[in-house]
Amino acid sequence: KGIHKATWQHPGSKKWHCIDYAIMKQSQRRKCLDVSVMRGAQCNTDHQMLRMKLNVGPVRRHCRPNTNSHMRFDISKLKEKAVDGHGRMTARGHFQEMVGEKLNQCWKETDSIEEKWTSVKSTLCEAAEATIGREKRRQADWFRESAPIIHPLLQKRNALYCKWLSSGKISDKEEFQEARKKAQKAVREAKNNWFSLKAKEAQGGVNGGKVVWKCIREMQRGRRGLVPLKTRSVRDEEGHTCSTPQQQHGRWRRHFTNLLNIVSEVDVSEIEQARQRPTRAEMADPPTSEELENAISKLRNGKAAGQSGILPEMVKAACGNVDFFNHLLELATTIWNEQQVPQDWVDAVLIPIPKKGDLCNCDNWRGI
């Protein structure tokens, strides 16, 4: 149709013209299937949106693992007390109760250290999954948080725009312009209110640096909009691009193996010359309940979880159950006596953090 070939209407003559084009190489002309105008798209401009359909051929898709297992547990539900002011059990209370019941069912004193740790780990994760669930982490966005106010106005604006395109009446155009003004005003107010709220939140947490920097990062992200997450490929030792996940994992493994496994030279004579302190025999005693309780209380909140997904807040809340605390003390005593630790405590997780320079080069990443 002719209405799908013109992109701009002259304000004086009211004639439609095609002044917007899609440019591509002549060698790739066959990939272009269709170019047409989307009249219903409202982009706050007097130009119509131009859409081009391309045939890019088969796309390689790699099966991604389930990302739900890497999402943090919603530990915010563990901040409240086990029983609220009305005598009702909260999520923390249900979590403590389920942890004690599950661990009593699967705990065996004759199990090895690895089996006991597996019981503790699975109990904590299963109880957290059933009581507090996973955290829905989404990038801070003023538009999404103001959706109940903005969306109805935008839908009304778009509907009036389509009505004006169909009829071409001056009254419909004026009605659309009025709806567009209201939508733009609501968007500005929602954005300003969101930034003001974040600024007050940062001002209230002036004594806690973590709160302040969190608000600053959210305001920076809200200003530049949502940034799509994309994976960055790296090059191997010969300069070839690692395209598949298996190749990338192998490249990172070889890089950190060569970087971190450095043989150190130790001079034993220097150690022998150092002043020796007297031996304290009581340090060889197994850990007591007071020492374990003191160590758990010193765990810092807000830290990242390892491969197990267990967070410090989960351990602190679970120790409110006497049975769980006793089993954890038994595990610590067994580890002390046998002088062995579970394999999960030995394994470390390296997260590459980008530095300056070409990020396809592994040397421009720092592992933490």
Side-chain angles (χ1 to χ4, degrees):
K1 294 182 180 181
I3 59 175
H4 295 141
K5 297 179 181 179
T7 60
W8 178 75
Q9 186 184 36
H10 193 279
S13 63
K14 303 299 180 183
K15 290 184 178 181
W16 285 91
H17 305 273
C18 181
I19 61 175
D20 299 279
Y21 300 92
I23 301 176
M24 63 187 307
K25 294 182 178 179
Q26 182 66 29
S27 58
Q28 299 179 349
R29 177 66 180 81
R30 294 181 179 180
K31 296 183 179 181
C32 181
L33 302 180
D34 182 35
V35 179
S36 61
V37 172
M38 293 182 62
R39 287 172 54 83
Q42 211 290 315
C43 305
N44 288 330
T45 177
D46 55 352
H47 290 249
Q48 303 292 325
M49 179 179 288
L50 194 66
R51 177 177 63 180
M52 179 170 59
K53 293 183 180 180
L54 297 175
N55 180 16
V56 296
V59 181
R60 294 182 179 180
R61 298 183 181 274
H62 303 290
C63 297
R64 295 184 177 181
N66 183 16
T67 57
N68 184 52
S69 59
H70 299 286
M71 296 176 62
R72 289 163 53 99
F73 289 107
D74 191 3
I75 55 176
S76 61
K77 298 179 181 178
L78 298 177
K79 294 181 180 180
E80 52 192 2
K81 296 182 179 181
V83 180
D84 59 10
H86 300 284
R88 293 173 297 186
M89 186 174 295
T90 61
R92 183 187 182 97
H94 290 295
F95 174 73
Q96 292 178 350
E97 184 179 6
M98 185 174 293
V99 161
E101 293 178 356
K102 285 183 173 294
L103 193 56
N104 286 333
Q105 294 175 0
C106 62
W107 188 268
K108 295 180 181 179
E109 296 183 0
T110 57
D111 287 345
S112 62
I113 294 177
E114 199 69 38
E115 292 172 341
K116 289 182 178 180
W117 164 244
T118 302
S119 300
V120 173
K121 177 177 64 175
S122 60
T123 297
L124 286 172
C125 293
E126 291 175 3
E129 192 77 48
T131 56
I132 62 178
R134 300 281 178 172
E135 184 182 32
K136 296 180 180 179
R137 304 181 67 184
R138 308 186 73 174
Q139 185 171 325
D141 181 24
W142 61 268
F143 187 84
R144 184 189 296 116
E145 296 182 10
S146 306
I149 301 175
I150 299 177
H151 277 186
L153 297 176
L154 295 179
Q155 292 174 356
K156 182 180 179 180
R157 182 204 63 181
N158 296 337
L160 293 175
Y161 179 71
C162 295
K163 181 181 177 181
W164 170 49
L165 287 178
S166 301
S167 64
K169 297 180 180 179
I170 301 298
S171 59
D172 293 338
K173 179 181 178 180
E174 294 176 352
E175 192 176 358
F176 157 70
Q177 291 176 344
E178 186 65 24
R180 183 175 61 181
K181 291 180 181 179
K182 292 182 180 179
Q184 291 175 346
K185 182 180 179 181
V187 168
R188 287 195 300 268
E189 291 179 353
K191 189 173 183 179
N192 294 334
N193 293 337
W194 186 84
F195 278 100
S196 299
L197 182 63
K198 289 298 176 182
K200 291 181 180 179
E201 185 178 348
Q203 184 66 27
V206 67
N207 295 327
K210 195 171 185 179
V211 177
V212 176
W213 284 110
K214 178 184 177 183
C215 296
I216 293 176
R217 286 194 298 268
E218 289 180 351
M219 286 190 287
Q220 290 175 342
R221 294 167 183 166
R223 185 172 181 81
R224 69 170 180 257
L226 294 178
V227 179
L229 300 178
K230 56 183 179 181
T231 57
R232 185 176 297 274
S233 59
V234 294
R235 292 191 293 265
D236 58 12
E237 295 84 348
E238 299 178 356
H240 302 299
T241 302
C242 301
S243 55
T244 63
Q246 292 78 11
Q247 294 176 351
Q248 294 181 12
H249 293 166
R251 176 67 183 105
W252 284 117
R253 186 182 300 109
R254 296 192 300 271
H255 170 72
F256 284 117
T257 298
N258 297 332
L259 182 65
L260 301 178
N261 293 338
I262 300 177
V263 180
S264 302
E265 296 181 359
V266 180
D267 190 356
V268 182
S269 60
E270 296 292 337
I271 301 177
E272 294 177 350
Q273 293 177 5
R275 184 171 63 90
Q276 301 295 327
R277 295 184 178 277
T279 303
R280 296 178 59 182
E282 66 274 10
M283 297 293 293
D285 296 337
T288 62
S289 59
E290 292 78 10
E291 292 174 336
L292 180 61
E293 185 177 358
N294 186 32
I296 293 175
S297 64
K298 291 182 179 180
L299 292 176
R300 298 183 63 181
N301 296 334
K303 295 298 180 180
Q307 290 290 94
S308 61
I310 300 175
L311 296 166
E313 293 85 351
M314 296 167 55
V315 179
K316 289 182 177 180
C319 286
N321 185 283
V322 179
D323 294 336
F324 178 86
F325 181 83
N326 293 335
H327 291 315
L328 190 62
L329 178 61
E330 183 180 344
L331 173 62
T333 304
T334 306
I335 292 174
W336 183 274
N337 294 331
E338 298 186 10
Q339 300 182 8
Q340 294 180 358
V341 295
Q343 186 62 34
D344 288 349
W345 297 12
V346 179
D347 297 336
V349 179
L350 276 172
I351 305 297
I353 302 298
K355 299 188 291 186
K356 296 181 180 180
D358 183 13
L359 296 185
C360 293
N361 185 0
C362 291
D363 293 333
N364 293 327
W365 292 76
R366 178 185 293 108
I368 62 171

